[in-house]
Amino acid sequence: MSREPEEQSLFEAPPMGEQERMVEAMLFASTEPMTVAELAKRMPHGCDPAEALAYLRKRYEGRGVHLTRVGDAWAFRTAGDLGHLMVREQVESRKLSRAAIETLAIIAYHQPTTRAEIEEIRGVAVSRGTIDQLMEMEWIRFGRRRMTPGRPVTFVVTEGFLDHFGLESARDLPGLKELRSTGLLENRPMPGQDLPRDDDEDEAQSGQSELFED
Amino acid sequence: MSREPEEQSLFEAPPMGEQERMVEAMLFASTEPMTVAELAKRMPHGCDPAEALAYLRKRYEGRGVHLTRVGDAWAFRTAGDLGHLMVREQVESRKLSRAAIETLAIIAYHQPTTRAEIEEIRGVAVSRGTIDQLMEMEWIRFGRRRMTPGRPVTFVVTEGFLDHFGLESARDLPGLKELRSTGLLENRPMPGQDLPRDDDEDEAQSGQSELFED
Amino acid sequence: MNDETQLPLADDWSLPERLDPAARLAAEALIVDVDGFEGPLDLLLTLSRTQKVDLRRISVLQLAEQYLLFVNKAAKLRIELAADYLVMAAWLAFLKSRLLLPPEPGEAGPSAEELAAHLAFQLERLQAMREAAARLMARDQKGRDFFVRGQPETVSLQRKTRWEANLLDLMRAYARIRTRDEFRPFVMDREHVFTMEQALDRMRGLIGYAGDWADLSGFMPEGWDATPMARRSVTAAHFAAVLEMAKRGQLTLRQGETFAPIQIRRREPE
């Protein structure tokens, strides 16, 4: 610790060890993931929460509690292998229908995707209430409209979805790379059907590949 | 796992490091402080939560979070010197009034829109308080003035609005027809009313396409 | 197993009885729980499993046979299949004939092989999505396998009201207003909208002149076909009005054939 912490903080950010403690305290206290920006807002001027997070993450590796990344935000979560000890804390989750689960997976893997695409993949109409339910659970939200005739709305998954399934980003969906490389995430039109799908195609592609570019 | 977990656990408790992890996770997730007895009850036979607590307490010494004793129970608490970071507004959640949400919806769907237009669509006068409230929440703001007689002010939604509602832009909001077809709305057939629906749709569309012009 | 054996091919898709017994049994078993399937694609995927090969090497021809057999059996058992099952059956029958016959010279459009490959792709993609969904659900989940802070801390309190509203509230509010609009009289303020009440008023005055059969179009107001919107609205309103008047026994109407002019005549009080 420095001799004059009070005065120093006016000129200089607290030492990294101290920043780490601050981030630790804030994230520990919160149930919701917090973004770097949110952390920074509460910390003294000049702090670097991103760096503090990197140290903190290392510190909690292998512990009973982990520092996990959820999209742009961070949160402490108990280690997955200890779930059996927390029976009392388990919340009865709403049972999702098979249709809802498949719809969710299609949105996650094909995002941004339209309702028509979901229906084409599943071969049946999206039943009433399915989208509604996923929206209410805050696992999906609207993405940008497709710039194709009719400008259909699209769906994408949310940070709440990532948090629930312990994913850092949509890129970390299990098996995503294999699915991509086998072409199963492509939006191939039926041969001979000259749907005005070209833009669609490009966009869907760019949507997917965006995930990989950075 | 071992062949005879039941029997084996009688002889051998998990290593202390593992017990520490367990205690850490349980205290983190528990909604209340936990006693040694409560911890022991959830842990495999032969564990010594008291010892694990002692190690854990040491581990968190000087950190942003402390393991503290509360009566005869234990809990994690933010370090006292970091309390200032926890200054968080206590948020009291209240449902937005029907008038406010309707006004907000009209602004979102028809922006930029004037007060007179909102009143025409709602069929009732818009009270000052409603607009003020939405302004204060920073969900709406003034847009450009209309180049019509009287040059009325217009309202548009803000970034804060988009953020709150998980939208990338207001034009991603689904139109009436889309709401119906995704099952997001009850599809109530209007008795004796099969004419003006399409026109309505057109209007909503044209309202939305204005958004693209600038 | 005889899964790989080349199947005899029936020309008439309604009688593909020469499928091997295993496939036939499979098709019959499926009929029992036809309600359990989520549409024809789901059923096709299930049927494809009896081939016990990689979906990429599946015999679409054989699959088509199996599907048609299924539909055929269902018909015999008088099980009502939803329309999309029958549409798929018709398409598969078409595909099957295309796969069996040599392409006609100069034939346009995609080849049967391309169509078959697309179907195989669809099945593979659906299967892949199902597996992805299963893997997703098998992940550790919040509140089941891992947990959030049980005692969130908020030390110091600064009161602040947060107004709550979510997207569904917003959309429902909008829909509520717009749906209400459909009842509101000002909808009628639109230009070129001619209501049935207006048409009734007009026709009541004019019907006296229709002692003999006369075309309804002759009774339309001036300028009624100025715009397509006006034409539709006026026509519909007058048509509805004369139906109403016929119901009340004020006139009789007739039409020579479909799309022929509609004629009306005053009905004399008896």
Side-chain angles (χ1 to χ4, degrees):
Chain A
M1 300 274 156
S2 63
R3 272 164 303 151
E4 293 159 308
E6 290 296 302
E7 234 186 78
Q8 234 186 18
S9 71
L10 288 175
F11 303 100
E12 231 177 85
M16 190 42 68
E18 200 50 27
Q19 295 188 32
E20 209 190 304
R21 288 184 73 229
M22 292 177 174
V23 171
E24 185 180 32
M26 285 186 284
L27 290 181
F28 231 85
S30 166
T31 50
E32 296 299 312
M34 290 176 76
T35 63
V36 173
E38 283 167 338
L39 291 168
K41 216 166 20 179
R42 295 213 223 156
M43 292 166 79
H45 193 77
C47 282
D48 184 353
E51 198 186 336
L53 281 163
Y55 284 115
L56 202 59
R57 180 173 218 180
K58 207 157 219 160
R59 185 182 292 276
Y60 278 89
E61 254 167 33
R63 311 280 326 135
V65 172
H66 293 162
L67 181 55
T68 58
R69 190 190 179 132
V70 182
D72 293 331
W74 296 79
F76 277 116
R77 299 286 182 246
T78 63
D81 64 317
L82 299 175
H84 60 283
L85 297 171
M86 256 72 70
V87 201
R88 232 178 38 171
E89 276 76 32
Q90 274 175 9
V91 278
E92 196 53 53
S93 57
R94 192 142 54 125
K95 254 276 188 222
L96 279 180
S97 66
R98 175 173 144 179
I101 292 170
E102 283 182 21
T103 302
L104 178 65
I106 291 168
I107 293 170
Y109 283 83
H110 289 257
Q111 66 172 348
T113 191
T114 65
R115 178 159 161 264
E117 285 164 1
I118 298 168
E119 296 187 335
E120 195 190 298
I121 294 171
R122 298 197 64 235
V124 280
V126 172
S127 75
R128 202 155 279 284
T130 302
I131 297 276
D132 204 325
Q133 187 186 14
L134 294 174
M135 285 260 205
E136 225 158 311
M137 296 173 85
E138 298 189 347
W139 282 358
I140 63 168
R141 63 175 178 85
F142 293 115
R144 247 172 283 169
R145 279 176 189 272
R146 270 291 158 73
M147 290 303 136
T148 47
R151 308 205 348 269
V153 295
T154 66
F155 300 100
V156 296
V157 290
T158 62
E159 290 216 334
F161 165 87
L162 299 177
D163 188 23
H164 185 91
F165 290 98
L167 293 161
E168 287 200 7
S169 79
R171 255 171 298 177
D172 300 322
L173 283 164
L176 184 65
K177 272 192 192 132
E178 295 88 298
L179 286 170
R180 262 180 70 81
S181 64
T182 45
L184 289 171
L185 298 183
E186 279 164 32
N187 193 359
R188 274 186 227 170
M190 171 87 94
Q193 218 164 335
D194 28 277
L195 294 168
R197 267 272 161 84
D198 282 354
D199 304 335
D200 243 12
E201 210 67 45
D202 291 349
E203 250 194 43
Q205 289 295 61
S206 73
Q208 290 281 338
S209 51
E210 260 169 39
L211 291 174
F212 286 89
E213 268 154 26
D214 34 319
Chain B
M1 292 289 149
S2 59
R3 271 164 304 151
E4 293 159 302
E6 289 296 303
E7 237 184 76
Q8 227 188 24
S9 70
L10 289 175
F11 300 102
E12 226 180 279
M16 189 44 67
E18 200 51 29
Q19 295 188 33
E20 213 190 302
R21 287 183 77 227
M22 292 177 174
V23 171
E24 186 179 32
M26 283 188 285
L27 291 182
F28 175 85
S30 171
T31 52
E32 270 153 53
M34 290 177 78
T35 63
V36 172
E38 283 168 338
L39 290 166
K41 219 172 358 179
R42 294 213 224 159
M43 292 167 78
H45 195 77
C47 282
D48 184 351
E51 196 186 339
L53 278 164
Y55 281 115
L56 202 60
R57 182 172 210 177
K58 202 156 221 162
R59 186 183 288 275
Y60 277 92
E61 251 166 36
R63 307 289 323 140
V65 172
H66 294 161
L67 183 55
T68 55
R69 198 181 176 125
V70 185
D72 57 355
W74 295 83
F76 280 117
R77 291 280 185 257
T78 310
D81 65 316
L82 297 177
H84 62 281
L85 295 172
M86 287 332 113
V87 180
R88 230 195 148 168
E89 310 92 17
Q90 195 202 27
V91 233
E92 190 192 343
S93 291
R94 278 163 72 180
K95 270 268 180 220
L96 209 57
S97 71
R98 179 169 164 158
I101 190 109
E102 286 185 6
T103 304
L104 182 64
I106 293 166
I107 296 171
Y109 274 89
H110 293 262
Q111 66 168 357
T113 189
T114 65
R115 184 159 173 164
E117 285 164 355
I118 298 168
E119 295 185 339
E120 190 188 303
I121 294 171
R122 286 197 66 223
V124 285
V126 175
S127 79
R128 238 217 109 75
T130 304
I131 296 279
D132 284 350
Q133 185 191 10
L134 293 173
M135 288 278 226
E136 214 168 291
M137 295 168 75
E138 299 187 341
W139 279 358
I140 64 166
R141 61 176 177 82
F142 291 119
R144 251 174 283 166
R145 279 181 186 274
R146 265 295 156 71
M147 289 304 137
T148 49
R151 305 196 40 246
V153 295
T154 64
F155 299 101
V156 295
V157 291
T158 63
E159 283 284 315
F161 166 87
L162 297 177
D163 234 37
H164 180 92
F165 290 95
L167 292 164
E168 285 173 39
S169 84
R171 60 195 131 133
D172 296 331
L173 280 168
L176 276 194
K177 206 186 275 172
E178 286 167 315
L179 285 174
R180 284 200 184 91
S181 62
T182 31
L184 284 167
L185 296 181
E186 298 270 304
N187 198 358
R188 282 170 292 166
M190 292 295 121
Q193 199 71 39
D194 26 24
L195 268 182
R197 200 166 278 175
D198 284 347
D199 304 336
D200 256 10
E201 212 60 50
D202 291 349
E203 248 185 49
Q205 288 295 59
S206 72
Q208 296 247 337
S209 58
E210 268 170 35
L211 293 173
F212 285 92
E213 273 152 30
D214 35 318
Chain C
M1 289 300 288
N2 49 6
D3 294 297
E4 303 285 353
T5 49
Q6 192 54 45
L7 294 164
L9 305 163
D11 288 323
D12 179 2
W13 69 267
S14 64
L15 292 167
E17 296 283 353
R18 281 171 286 162
L19 266 186
D20 67 284
R24 201 164 56 233
L25 278 174
E28 275 171 37
L30 293 175
I31 289 169
V32 182
D33 42 33
V34 61
D35 286 339
F37 289 106
E38 290 202 76
L41 207 57
D42 186 21
L43 171 60
L44 277 168
L45 189 56
T46 307
L47 285 170
S48 72
R49 292 206 188 101
T50 60
Q51 291 192 24
K52 290 181 184 145
V53 291
D54 186 324
L55 275 174
R56 286 173 180 228
R57 268 177 290 135
I58 198 159
S59 157
V60 169
L61 190 56
Q62 188 185 337
L63 190 62
E65 298 260 352
Q66 285 173 282
Y67 186 90
L68 296 171
L69 176 67
F70 167 87
V71 171
N72 192 34
K73 286 273 174 201
K76 268 194 195 146
L77 295 169
R78 294 173 199 282
I79 292 170
E80 283 280 325
L81 287 180
D84 49 346
Y85 284 87
L86 303 178
V87 170
M88 178 62 91
W91 187 79
L92 286 174
F94 161 76
L95 177 60
K96 190 183 130 183
S97 69
R98 293 275 307 269
L99 284 168
L100 292 175
L101 297 172
E104 286 192 23
E107 200 176 48
S111 71
E113 282 70 26
E114 282 170 332
L115 293 173
H118 185 73
L119 179 62
F121 168 74
Q122 283 180 294
L123 292 173
E124 201 189 345
R125 184 173 60 179
L126 179 60
Q127 177 61 28
M129 278 301 111
R130 295 227 159 124
E131 282 162 9
R135 260 183 294 179
L136 186 65
M137 297 315 280
R139 284 186 70 83
D140 284 348
Q141 292 183 37
K142 189 172 83 179
R144 190 189 75 182
D145 307 293
F146 63 88
F147 297 84
V148 305
R149 179 76 170 120
Q151 282 180 290
E153 290 174 72
T154 42
V155 179
S156 157
L157 312 174
Q158 253 173 26
R159 280 196 169 273
K160 189 182 166 194
T161 308
R162 188 178 69 196
W163 296 96
E164 267 196 354
N166 64 33
L167 192 57
L168 287 176
D169 296 337
L170 186 81
M171 294 187 302
R172 285 186 181 130
Y174 186 67
R176 190 168 62 224
I177 312 163
R178 301 307 297 193
T179 333
R180 194 179 56 211
D181 276 0
E182 289 166 15
F183 290 118
R184 288 187 43 217
F186 89 76
V187 172
M188 302 308 177
D189 295 344
R190 277 178 221 288
E191 277 182 281
H192 314 305
V193 171
F194 207 90
T195 66
M196 189 183 98
E197 282 70 28
Q198 286 173 292
L200 261 178
D201 280 349
R202 285 194 72 252
M203 292 305 291
R204 259 197 292 268
L206 294 173
I207 189 65
Y209 302 101
D212 205 354
W213 288 110
D215 279 7
L216 175 59
S217 58
F219 290 86
M220 302 289 181
E222 219 172 297
W224 67 284
D225 52 358
T227 68
M229 169 92 184
R231 192 173 63 237
R232 281 201 302 273
S233 176
V234 169
T235 309
H238 281 78
F239 179 61
V242 295
L243 284 182
E244 181 62 27
M245 292 172 81
K247 204 169 96 188
R248 293 180 194 170
Q250 293 163 325
L251 54 77
T252 339
L253 62 166
R254 70 175 190 192
Q255 187 177 28
E257 55 179 320
T258 316
F259 300 122
I262 292 167
Q263 296 186 311
I264 58 171
R265 189 175 63 179
R266 184 181 68 229
R267 193 160 158 190
E268 303 301 340
E270 281 153 34

